[in-house]
Amino acid sequence: MRGLLNAVLTVALAVPFVNALPKVSRSGKYLYDASGARFFIKASLFSTSSYRSARFFLVFFVNFVHNAGEQGPYPHASDPRILPASVLLKHRQLTLNSQGIAYQEPGQLPAQTAEGDFPEPTTFTDPLSVADACDRDIPYLKQLGVNTVRVYSVDASADHSHCMSVLSGAGIYTLIDLSLPVNGSITRVGPTWTSNLLNLYLGTIDAFLQYDNVLGFNIGNEIVKDTESTVSAPFIKAAARDVRAYLKSKSSSALVGYSSTDGSGWRDPLAHYLTCESDDTSIDLWGLNNYRWCGDSGSVASSYQESLTAFSDLPVAVYFSEYGCNTVTPRTWTEVPALYGTEMSAVYSGGVAFSYFPTNDAKSFGMVTVDGNTVTTTADFTNLATQLTGVTTITTPAQGSGSAGSVPACPSVSANWLGTTTLPPTPNQAECDCVWKSSPCVFSPQTVNQSALFSELFASGCTLLASNGGSCDAIGQNGTTGVYGEISSCDGPTKLTWLFSQFYLATNNNAQSCSFAGNATVNAASPTTASEVNAAVDACFAATPSVYTPVAPTTTLPPAGASTGTSRPSGSSGSNGAAGLFADRLAIVGVMVATLCMLGGGAMLA
């Protein structure tokens, strides 16, 4: 009987609470609930990898408060099934105040390379797939007074049904970042926007859209951190464009967000860049990781006025995606009344306190310690709970009556801003598969550790091709000039296959030219002359426009000639495998090295 009950419960928990929670949407620069009442993020970091790097997941837990003061479940910034404003206003009146905390246990961290750096973890645990941990921590999160939790890393292939269903039943929403630690992200150096990365993002979206308590998706965290890395901005904006288009095709109104580190010179242009031009290429939610208010000595004027002024006219919602300076301990969180007060709420829609779990370094940001199923709270926890539970809800401006903000001008390329407004194309896996099938010499690694080969193979391949009158321009992406090669949006193995084939053709189909130390194989099913191959590759890109609505990733069938060893290596095509992502990053390194050799230190291919 017990086994039968467990089976029934398992099935029941796997069924999401569809439309169980009120909807929240963005209207201009503010967030509103189903009734049109103002909504604030009151959040915490909630995750089991590390933090504050360029490739993670966000999750917000949200509750709502009735105007009469009755406690109930909160909505947050954007459920994927948000209704139009005309429908939302027909729902019952709610006053929302979103408050939260960072929730993610630290993953394995490499050594710190510079003072103040937050090294990126090499491992992570998906907290939304650990049922016992969710059951253990939710009571403490409710005690803390948060309505939102931020999580940095999730595994799209894992079972999230228990945590998502329990959270939905508790009125807790999620905002999920679409990147992964180490290699599943747009990078600061040599950035690209490729088919395997898009497939990773879409796979995560598909894994969570079934749940009613997904409010939005974050496309990146702290990718840009200085002037040099502003070259990645076009790739971030392209990701926002393609994710928005995909969500629209799924009839989802989930918010698309980005979280920025604090800085000068490039931070404000980045906010303007990600919200300039049309909604189709802009984010909905601008997050700032801000640690300027320390102890009891902070004030709006000394700590926050600069960002209030900078973001006052942004046409999208603004929030602190991290806050909680800990140079003075225990933290008293006196910034909370200011953040949710009248002056700040004119621009900001709440924030995410950092962090529920202790961080895996010497910075001691955590508010609890966990030993098995035992949670021990700290003074930081108690002080934050006192501040958050004492927040008075701001109800103005009413939906439709506040300033919508103005669409900013896009910054121009300059010595201080390296990102062009010409965006890379939408990656298309079908086009990349077509290139593979049309290529006479394909990447066929002799080791499962493909990623270790990429840097060397790209460097040597581009150098050999250049020595035979060829060029790697077709696989290059340049976020400053806005020049994106025809093959540049494909995954790393496809780029290598194209490169190997060009060298093979340039040497008159010499069999030894299709070896690359045993990592390439002749594809007998492809065309054999340079004109035929190039025409076939060009035809791969003729049917689809450069910007289009992406489709859900599928498992790619082995291309023609698989029996001769020409099938795609695992994790390089429609799969979301980390190996393919890692390989793609090392492919970038290889192309950069090779191009430096060819150009004598000139502009590098991204």
Side-chain angles (χ1 to χ4, degrees), residues 70-116:
E70 176 187 354
Q71 293 292 329
Y74 277 85
H76 167 59
S78 72
D79 184 274
R81 284 173 287 274
I82 289 173
L83 299 174
S86 59
V87 177
L88 295 177
L89 292 173
K90 296 178 182 178
H91 287 254
R92 56 199 170 101
Q93 281 288 330
L94 302 171
T95 299
L96 304 181
N97 194 355
S98 177
Q99 303 166 197
I101 189 171
Y103 179 90
Q104 181 141 17
E105 292 184 59
Q108 184 106 24
L109 291 179
Q112 190 176 22
T113 56
E115 180 63 31

Side-chain angles (χ1 to χ4, degrees), residues 42-298:
K42 193 197 289 187
S44 161
L45 184 69
F46 178 83
S47 191
T48 51
S49 86
S50 194
Y51 50 95
R52 303 192 66 204
S53 100
R55 38 196 59 78
F56 291 146
F57 289 77
L58 293 175
V59 176
F60 286 98
F61 288 106
V62 187
N63 295 326
F64 63 81
V65 181
H66 293 268
N67 281 343
E70 176 187 354
Q71 293 292 329
Y74 277 85
H76 167 59
S78 72
D79 184 274
R81 284 173 287 274
I82 289 173
L83 299 174
S86 59
V87 177
L88 295 177
L89 292 173
K90 296 178 182 178
H91 287 254
R92 56 199 170 101
Q93 281 288 330
L94 302 171
T95 299
L96 304 181
N97 194 355
S98 177
Q99 303 166 197
I101 189 171
Y103 179 90
Q104 181 141 17
E105 292 184 59
Q108 184 106 24
L109 291 179
Q112 190 176 22
T113 56
E115 180 63 31
D117 274 1
F118 285 82
E120 186 175 312
T122 56
T123 63
F124 74 93
T125 299
D126 177 357
L128 298 181
S129 67
V130 185
D132 290 345
C134 289
D135 293 340
R136 176 197 66 201
D137 292 321
I138 289 173
Y140 289 93
L141 295 170
K142 295 176 74 172
Q143 179 183 340
L144 196 56
V146 302
N147 58 23
T148 306
V149 175
R150 177 176 180 177
V151 177
Y152 286 117
S153 305
V154 297
D155 176 1
S157 67
D159 180 4
H160 304 100
S161 57
H162 178 85
C163 286
M164 293 300 288
S165 295
V166 172
L167 294 174
S168 178
I172 294 172
Y173 286 73
T174 58
L175 174 62
I176 301 172
D177 198 290
L178 296 175
S179 49
L180 279 178
V182 182
N183 303 295
S185 165
I186 297 166
T187 57
R188 298 183 182 111
V189 178
T192 62
W193 180 231
T194 53
S195 57
N196 52 334
L197 191 54
L198 174 61
N199 286 345
L200 171 71
Y201 284 20
L202 300 188
T204 301
I205 291 173
D206 285 346
F208 282 90
L209 277 185
Q210 62 180 300
Y211 303 111
D212 75 298
N213 54 335
V214 175
L215 298 173
F217 297 98
N218 208 48
I219 57 172
N221 185 65
E222 298 192 351
I223 299 172
V224 177
K225 69 170 187 175
D226 50 30
T227 298
E228 289 71 24
S229 54
T230 60
V231 70
S232 64
F235 304 93
I236 301 170
K237 197 170 179 70
R241 173 199 66 202
D242 294 340
V243 167
R244 286 182 70 99
Y246 187 72
L247 290 171
K248 184 177 181 180
S249 74
K250 297 290 185 177
S251 300
S252 167
S253 297
L255 294 184
V256 176
Y258 176 81
S259 296
S260 174
T261 188
D262 209 356
S264 61
W266 51 266
R267 185 201 65 186
D268 297 350
L270 178 63
H272 294 156
Y273 182 88
L274 294 180
T275 57
C276 70
E277 296 184 333
S278 71
D279 277 350
D280 291 342
T281 61
S282 297
I283 58 172
D284 295 298
L285 190 61
W286 168 257
L288 179 66
N289 297 340
N290 183 297
Y291 291 85
R292 297 196 183 195
W293 187 307
C294 299
D296 296 330
S297 62

Side-chain angles (χ1 to χ4, degrees), residues 336-390:
V336 169
L339 177 58
Y340 295 95
T342 303
E343 187 174 3
M344 291 285 290
S345 65
V347 175
Y348 280 87
S349 294
V352 180
F354 192 87
S355 161
Y356 180 80
F357 290 109
T359 53
N360 194 12
D361 58 13
K363 298 181 183 296
S364 303
F365 278 101
M367 283 175 263
V368 303
T369 57
V370 177
D371 183 7
N373 287 324
T374 301
V375 176
T376 303
T377 62
T378 67
D380 279 12
F381 180 98
T382 303
N383 293 339
L384 181 60
T386 299
Q387 296 287 6
L388 288 178
T389 55

Side-chain angles (χ1 to χ4, degrees), residues 3-17 159 161-162 165:
L4 177 60
L5 287 175
N6 286 338
V8 171
L9 285 172
T10 300
V11 172
L13 287 173
V15 179
F17 289 77
D159 180 4
S161 57
H162 178 85
S165 295

